Amino acid sequence: MEEKDSSPRADGSTRRAALWATLIAVPVTLAVAGFTFAKLAPDSPEATPSASASPRAQSSAPVELPAPALAERPAVLCRALVSQLPDSVRDLRQRPVTAGPEQNAAYGDPALTVSCGGSAPLVQPTDEVWTVNKVCWHPVQEADATVLTTVDRETPVRVRVPRTYEQPLQWVTPISDAIVSAVPSAKTAPSGCSA
C-alpha cells in the first residue's frame, strides 16, 4: 500500500497571489511609514532671515484715493474685481482706502494702488504694451512710480507701482489673475496685445 505525501504543496496560483500581495504591500507600507515619519519629525530650524526676506514695515493707515462716480456696468465689474483681489501682493498686505472701497484697493507702504473704472488710456501704435497672465497693460512712467493701465478690458484697471518696488510687472501678476476672473475682455485691444 502506497502512502500519500501529506505535506502541503503550494500550487502556482497561490504562490503568484502571495508574490503580488508582497509586491503591493511593501511599497504601501514604505509610503505610510515615510508619511508618518515626515509628520512626526520635528521641523527643521528656520534659517535666520536676511534683510531682504524680512517682512516690510507697513503703515495700516487708510490710503487716500479718489472714487469717481461710475456708470452701472463699470461699478458692477469693479465690485467684482475688488472682491477677487488677493489679501496681499507678494509681501505687501492690503490696506484700507479713504474712498471707494468698492473700486479701489491699496497694498503696502509706500502704497501700491489699484483703481478700477475711469477712462481708458490713449495708446499710440508705437506705444509699449505688456501682457501679464492674459491681461494687456500700458505702462506710463512717472517720477516716483510706474502706472500700468489695462487696455484690453471692458473697464480699465489702473495699478500704480511705486519705484521702490522694482520690476513693476511682477507686482501685477496676482492682480492680473483677479482681473481675468472679474472683468471681461474688451471687444477691441491695441495691436500689441496678445493673449
Side-chain angles (χ1 to χ4, degrees):
M1 183 156 122
E2 199 172 301
E3 281 188 34
K4 292 189 177 183
D5 187 7
S6 62
S7 64
R9 291 187 181 179
D11 65 9
S13 63
T14 304
R15 184 174 291 214
R16 276 191 300 269
L19 181 60
W20 278 110
T22 302
L23 287 173
I24 292 171
V26 169
V28 169
T29 303
L30 289 174
V32 168
F35 178 76
T36 303
F37 178 75
K39 285 294 182 187
L40 296 177
D43 291 336
S44 59
E46 295 293 326
T48 305
S50 66
S52 64
S54 61
R56 296 178 192 263
Q58 148 177 339
S59 170
S60 59
V63 175
E64 190 168 332
L65 287 171
L70 299 175
E72 184 179 348
R73 175 72 176 162
V76 168
L77 295 176
C78 290
R79 277 194 302 275
L81 170 63
V82 170
S83 75
Q84 296 292 317
L85 288 173
D87 292 333
S88 61
V89 171
R90 295 180 73 185
D91 62 344
L92 306 179
R93 291 183 313 279
Q94 194 167 20
R95 295 174 57 184
V97 293
T98 57
E102 69 285 348
Q103 67 194 66
N104 293 322
Y107 296 88
D109 188 15
L112 178 150
T113 60
V114 180
S115 301
C116 182
S119 57
L122 180 61
V123 180
Q124 300 298 324
T126 56
D127 284 357
E128 242 182 339
V129 289
W130 299 327
T131 302
V132 177
N133 289 11
K134 301 181 182 176
V135 176
C136 194
W137 298 92
H138 178 255
V140 173
Q141 301 300 323
E142 293 183 349
D144 60 345
T146 300
V147 178
L148 299 158
T149 306
T150 61
V151 292
D152 64 340
R153 297 290 142 174
E154 197 175 306
T155 296
V157 177
R158 187 169 285 106
V159 177
R160 187 176 184 280
V161 182
R163 288 221 185 264
T164 306
Y165 310 131
E166 296 174 357
Q167 302 175 344
L169 291 180
Q170 291 184 9
W171 297 91
V172 297
T173 299
I175 298 166
S176 292
D177 293 339
I179 290 169
V180 168
S181 297
V183 184
S185 295
K187 291 184 170 117
T188 60
S191 60
C193 294
S194 59

